[in-house]
Amino acid sequence: MHIHQQFYGVTLNGTTASLFTMKNDNGVTVSITDFGGTVVSLIAPDRNGKMLDVVLGYDSLRDYETADGYLGALVGRVANRIAGGRFELDGEVYDKLYINDGENHLHGGKVSMSYVVWGVKEFAVDDKACRLVLTYRSPDGDEGYPGNLDVTVTYTLDNTNSLSIRYEAVTDKATPLNLTNHAYFNLGGYASGSILGHELCLDAESFVVTDGALIPTGEVRPVDGTPMDFRAPKAIGRDFFADYEPLRLAGGYDHCLNFTDWRNTAGGEVILRGVLYEPVSGRRMEVLTNQPCVQFYSANFLKNPLFPLKGGLQQRTQTAVCLETQNMSGSVQHQGNPDFTDCVLRPGEVYDYTTVYRFSAD
Ligand code: BGC
């Protein structure tokens, strides 16, 4: 087990960002910057022990600061979209959320948690694990959300090749909250192209139906008999081009899938919910979580020519898989609809969810 901290860059507003590298006894290496709590690289072995970086990202802090796409970043207060940048909570209207996706609010707004330097509470190692503890205070009114919100995110890497992300938060006023990490995985290596050959298995019983602007309509539909059914492993490409409206409207997979029996499991034990497997390299990533849902996004918008990726690689659609464990998208808009998750954190409550990405190869 080994940790290393280095200078990463200075942000446009003059704040220094660091890069925190954690390496386990198997050589699995994760580098995270305190800028947005962003996972910058994640190096894992294939079936022959060959090490490659399996997350997409950029070469410099400046790119992370100016590009869109949220590559590797922590996302909040509310991951995904809030229609019209407006919501109601306890009879009050909050209608000043930042509009950054057509007419809607996406991923917490303009700066939010993804484009700031977080505090570093701890960076430590012992013989079992490396740990990076990041903190951020989102002040009352931040991006239009109510309440002072204190967030702690703990990244842990251990010798089971598990990268664990624990999200904790408390608030002094009721606020909607939905935190996630937005890593873009390509288990063939970040530069290896299409992910349509990756096999995916997700223990998810239903999904949130969205409209052409990817706004949840209020319908939660069982996956049975649809291309959204990943309960048995299948290649992502198998149904990708199926004549199915939700896929057509999103240009591929960009949907919130709800884990089986999410009502009784959310917030409880961290359990295995997903497996992503890349047959050429043999790399496998298991997703364990106690979150109720996962946004499965096949990088359909990853095509901004202005922001080349690591090594100058052009952005290309469907070259990464995001498995963003979270609350159900649309929960802010559809409060009171029993098909949706609770999305409100209240004073005195503790938001506490964990997701683990575990790597192996066979
Ligand atoms: C959303 C996509 C969005 C992407 C990048 C994902 O979580 O589902 O629609 O384009 O994030 O912002």
Side-chain angles (χ1 to χ4, degrees), residues 68-71 75 79-81 100-101 106-107 115 180-182 184 213-214 250 253-256 295-302 322 324 326 329:
D68 51 12
Y70 297 82
L71 276 69
V75 177
N80 222 280
R81 293 168 177 80
N100 53 345
D101 188 68
L106 174 68
H107 291 332
Y115 292 91
T180 194
N181 174 281
H182 209 311
Y184 285 62
L214 300 180
Y253 289 104
D254 192 356
H255 298 87
C256 179
Q295 181 80 15
F296 165 34
Y297 171 55
S298 55
N300 313 316
F301 297 110
L302 191 72
C322 300
E324 309 156 49
Q326 56 188 267
S329 66

Coordinates of all heavy atoms in Angstrom, one line a residue, residues 68-71 75 79-81 100-101 106-107 115 180-182 184 213-214 250 253-256 295-302 322 324 326 329, ligand 1:
D68 N -17.0 20.2 -20.4 CA -18.3 19.7 -19.9 C -18.1 18.2 -19.8 O -17.0 17.6 -20.0 CB -19.5 20.1 -20.7 CG -19.2 19.7 -22.2 OD1 -18.3 19.0 -22.5 OD2 -20.0 20.2 -23.0
G69 N -19.2 17.5 -19.4 CA -19.1 16.0 -19.4 C -18.9 15.4 -18.1 O -19.1 14.2 -17.9
Y70 N -18.4 16.2 -17.1 CA -18.2 15.7 -15.7 C -17.4 14.4 -15.6 O -17.6 13.6 -14.8 CB -19.6 15.5 -15.1 CG -20.4 16.8 -15.0 CD1 -21.1 17.2 -16.1 CD2 -20.4 17.5 -13.8 CE1 -21.8 18.4 -16.0 CE2 -21.2 18.7 -13.8 CZ -21.9 19.1 -14.9 OH -22.6 20.3 -14.8
L71 N -16.3 14.4 -16.5 CA -15.5 13.1 -16.5 C -14.9 12.9 -15.1 O -14.0 13.6 -14.6 CB -14.4 13.2 -17.6 CG -14.9 12.8 -19.0 CD1 -15.9 13.8 -19.6 CD2 -13.7 12.6 -19.9
V75 N -20.6 14.6 -8.3 CA -21.7 15.4 -8.8 C -22.8 15.6 -7.7 O -23.2 14.6 -7.1 CB -22.4 14.7 -10.0 CG1 -23.6 15.5 -10.5 CG2 -21.4 14.6 -11.2
A79 N -27.7 15.1 -8.8 CA -27.2 14.5 -10.1 C -28.4 14.3 -11.0 O -29.5 14.1 -10.6 CB -26.6 13.1 -9.8
N80 N -28.1 14.5 -12.3 CA -29.1 14.5 -13.4 C -30.0 15.7 -13.4 O -29.6 16.8 -12.8 CB -29.9 13.2 -13.4 CG -30.1 12.7 -14.8 OD1 -31.0 13.2 -15.6 ND2 -29.3 11.8 -15.3
R81 N -31.1 15.7 -14.1 CA -31.8 16.9 -14.5 C -33.0 17.3 -13.5 O -33.7 16.4 -13.0 CB -32.4 16.7 -15.9 CG -31.3 16.6 -16.9 CD -31.7 16.1 -18.2 NE -30.6 16.1 -19.2 CZ -29.7 15.2 -19.3 NH1 -29.8 14.1 -18.5 NH2 -28.7 15.2 -20.2
N100 N -28.4 24.8 -17.4 CA -27.2 24.4 -18.2 C -27.4 23.2 -19.1 O -26.4 22.7 -19.6 CB -26.0 24.1 -17.2 CG -26.4 23.1 -16.2 OD1 -27.5 22.8 -15.9 ND2 -25.4 22.5 -15.5
D101 N -28.7 22.9 -19.4 CA -28.9 21.8 -20.3 C -30.2 22.1 -21.0 O -31.3 21.7 -20.5 CB -29.0 20.5 -19.5 CG -29.0 19.3 -20.4 OD1 -28.0 19.0 -21.1 OD2 -30.1 18.6 -20.5
L106 N -28.9 20.7 -14.8 CA -28.2 19.4 -14.8 C -27.0 19.3 -13.8 O -26.2 20.3 -13.8 CB -27.7 19.2 -16.3 CG -26.8 17.9 -16.5 CD1 -27.6 16.6 -16.4 CD2 -26.1 17.9 -17.9
H107 N -27.0 18.2 -13.1 CA -25.8 17.9 -12.3 C -25.4 19.0 -11.3 O -24.2 19.3 -11.1 CB -24.6 17.6 -13.1 CG -24.7 16.3 -13.9 ND1 -25.5 15.2 -13.4 CD2 -24.2 15.9 -15.1 CE1 -25.4 14.2 -14.3 NE2 -24.6 14.6 -15.3
Y115 N -16.8 21.5 -9.9 CA -15.8 22.5 -10.4 C -15.2 23.4 -9.3 O -14.9 24.5 -9.5 CB -16.5 23.4 -11.5 CG -16.9 22.7 -12.7 CD1 -18.1 22.1 -12.9 CD2 -16.0 22.5 -13.8 CE1 -18.5 21.4 -14.0 CE2 -16.3 21.9 -15.0 CZ -17.5 21.3 -15.1 OH -17.9 20.6 -16.2
T180 N -23.4 11.5 -6.6 CA -22.8 10.4 -7.3 C -21.4 10.7 -7.8 O -20.9 11.9 -7.6 CB -23.7 10.0 -8.5 OG1 -23.3 8.7 -9.0 CG2 -23.6 11.0 -9.7
N181 N -20.7 9.7 -8.4 CA -19.5 10.0 -9.1 C -19.7 9.7 -10.6 O -20.4 8.7 -10.9 CB -18.4 9.1 -8.6 CG -17.1 9.2 -9.4 OD1 -17.0 8.6 -10.5 ND2 -16.1 10.0 -8.9
H182 N -19.1 10.5 -11.4 CA -19.3 10.4 -12.9 C -18.1 9.8 -13.6 O -17.8 10.4 -14.7 CB -19.7 11.8 -13.4 CG -20.7 11.8 -14.5 ND1 -20.4 11.0 -15.7 CD2 -21.8 12.4 -14.8 CE1 -21.4 11.2 -16.5 NE2 -22.3 12.0 -16.0
Y184 N -16.1 7.7 -16.2 CA -16.4 7.1 -17.6 C -15.5 5.9 -17.7 O -14.3 6.1 -17.9 CB -16.1 8.1 -18.7 CG -17.1 9.2 -18.9 CD1 -17.4 10.1 -17.8 CD2 -17.8 9.4 -20.1 CE1 -18.3 11.2 -18.0 CE2 -18.7 10.4 -20.3 CZ -18.9 11.3 -19.2 OH -19.8 12.3 -19.4
A213 N -36.0 15.6 -23.9 CA -35.0 16.4 -23.3 C -34.4 15.7 -22.1 O -33.8 16.2 -21.2 CB -35.6 17.7 -22.8
L214 N -34.7 14.4 -22.0 CA -34.2 13.5 -21.0 C -34.8 13.8 -19.6 O -34.2 13.6 -18.5 CB -32.7 13.4 -20.9 CG -32.1 12.9 -22.2 CD1 -30.6 12.9 -22.1 CD2 -32.6 11.5 -22.6
A250 N -32.9 9.1 -26.3 CA -31.7 9.4 -25.6 C -30.4 9.2 -26.5 O -29.3 9.4 -26.0 CB -31.6 8.5 -24.4
Y253 N -28.2 4.4 -24.4 CA -28.5 4.2 -23.0 C -28.2 5.5 -22.2 O -27.0 6.0 -22.3 CB -27.8 3.0 -22.4 CG -28.3 1.7 -22.9 CD1 -27.6 1.0 -23.8 CD2 -29.6 1.2 -22.5 CE1 -28.1 -0.2 -24.3 CE2 -30.1 0.0 -22.9 CZ -29.4 -0.7 -23.9 OH -29.9 -1.9 -24.3
D254 N -29.1 6.1 -21.6 CA -28.9 7.2 -20.7 C -30.1 7.2 -19.8 O -31.0 8.1 -19.8 CB -28.8 8.5 -21.5 CG -28.3 9.7 -20.7 OD1 -28.2 9.5 -19.5 OD2 -28.1 10.8 -21.3
H255 N -30.2 6.2 -19.0 CA -31.5 6.0 -18.2 C -31.1 5.6 -16.8 O -30.1 4.9 -16.5 CB -32.3 4.8 -18.9 CG -32.7 5.2 -20.3 ND1 -31.9 4.9 -21.4 CD2 -33.8 5.8 -20.7 CE1 -32.5 5.4 -22.4 NE2 -33.7 5.9 -22.1
C256 N -32.1 6.0 -15.9 CA -32.0 5.6 -14.5 C -32.6 4.2 -14.4 O -33.8 4.1 -14.6 CB -32.7 6.6 -13.7 SG -32.7 6.2 -11.9
Q295 N -27.7 5.4 -12.9 CA -27.9 6.0 -14.2 C -26.8 5.3 -15.1 O -25.6 5.5 -14.9 CB -27.6 7.5 -14.1 CG -27.8 8.3 -15.4 CD -29.2 8.5 -15.8 OE1 -30.1 8.5 -15.0 NE2 -29.4 8.9 -17.1
F296 N -27.3 4.6 -16.0 CA -26.5 3.9 -17.0 C -26.4 4.8 -18.2 O -27.4 5.0 -18.9 CB -27.0 2.5 -17.3 CG -26.4 1.9 -18.6 CD1 -25.1 2.1 -18.9 CD2 -27.2 1.0 -19.4 CE1 -24.5 1.5 -20.1 CE2 -26.6 0.4 -20.5 CZ -25.3 0.7 -20.9
Y297 N -25.2 5.3 -18.5 CA -25.0 6.3 -19.6 C -23.9 5.8 -20.5 O -22.8 5.5 -20.0 CB -24.7 7.7 -19.0 CG -24.2 8.7 -19.9 CD1 -25.1 9.1 -21.0 CD2 -23.1 9.4 -19.7 CE1 -24.6 10.1 -21.9 CE2 -22.7 10.4 -20.6 CZ -23.5 10.8 -21.7 OH -23.1 11.8 -22.5
S298 N -24.3 5.7 -21.8 CA -23.3 5.1 -22.7 C -22.5 6.2 -23.5 O -22.1 6.0 -24.6 CB -24.0 4.1 -23.7 OG -25.1 4.7 -24.3
A299 N -22.3 7.3 -22.8 CA -21.5 8.4 -23.3 C -22.0 8.9 -24.7 O -21.2 9.1 -25.6 CB -20.0 8.0 -23.4
N300 N -23.3 9.1 -24.8 CA -23.9 9.5 -26.2 C -23.6 10.9 -26.5 O -23.7 11.3 -27.7 CB -25.4 9.2 -26.1 CG -25.7 7.9 -25.6 OD1 -25.1 6.9 -25.9 ND2 -26.7 7.8 -24.7
F301 N -23.2 11.7 -25.5 CA -22.9 13.1 -25.8 C -21.4 13.4 -25.9 O -21.0 14.5 -25.9 CB -23.6 14.1 -24.8 CG -25.1 14.0 -24.8 CD1 -25.8 13.4 -23.8 CD2 -25.8 14.5 -25.9 CE1 -27.1 13.4 -23.8 CE2 -27.2 14.5 -25.9 CZ -27.8 13.9 -24.8
L302 N -20.6 12.3 -25.7 CA -19.2 12.5 -25.6 C -18.6 12.7 -27.1 O -18.1 11.8 -27.7 CB -18.5 11.3 -25.0 CG -17.1 11.4 -24.6 CD1 -16.9 12.3 -23.4 CD2 -16.4 10.1 -24.3
C322 N -20.8 4.9 -18.1 CA -20.9 5.5 -16.7 C -22.0 4.7 -16.0 O -23.1 4.4 -16.5 CB -21.4 6.9 -16.8 SG -20.3 8.0 -17.7
E324 N -23.6 5.4 -12.7 CA -23.6 6.4 -11.7 C -24.7 6.0 -10.7 O -25.9 6.3 -10.9 CB -24.0 7.8 -12.3 CG -23.2 8.2 -13.4 CD -23.9 9.2 -14.4 OE1 -24.5 10.2 -13.9 OE2 -24.0 9.0 -15.6
Q326 N -27.1 6.2 -7.7 CA -27.8 7.4 -7.2 C -29.2 7.1 -6.8 O -29.7 6.0 -6.8 CB -27.7 8.5 -8.2 CG -28.3 8.2 -9.5 CD -28.0 9.3 -10.6 OE1 -28.8 10.2 -10.8 NE2 -26.9 9.2 -11.2
S329 N -33.7 9.3 -10.8 CA -33.8 10.6 -11.5 C -35.3 11.0 -11.5 O -36.2 10.1 -11.6 CB -33.2 10.6 -12.8 OG -33.9 9.8 -13.7
Ligands
BGC1 C1 -26.4 12.2 -18.0 C2 -26.2 12.5 -19.4 C3 -25.3 13.7 -19.5 C4 -24.0 13.3 -18.9 C5 -22.9 14.4 -18.9 C6 -25.1 11.8 -17.4 O1 -25.3 11.6 -16.1 O2 -27.4 11.1 -17.8 O3 -27.4 12.8 -20.1 O4 -25.0 14.1 -20.8 O5 -24.2 12.9 -17.5 O6 -23.3 15.5 -18.3

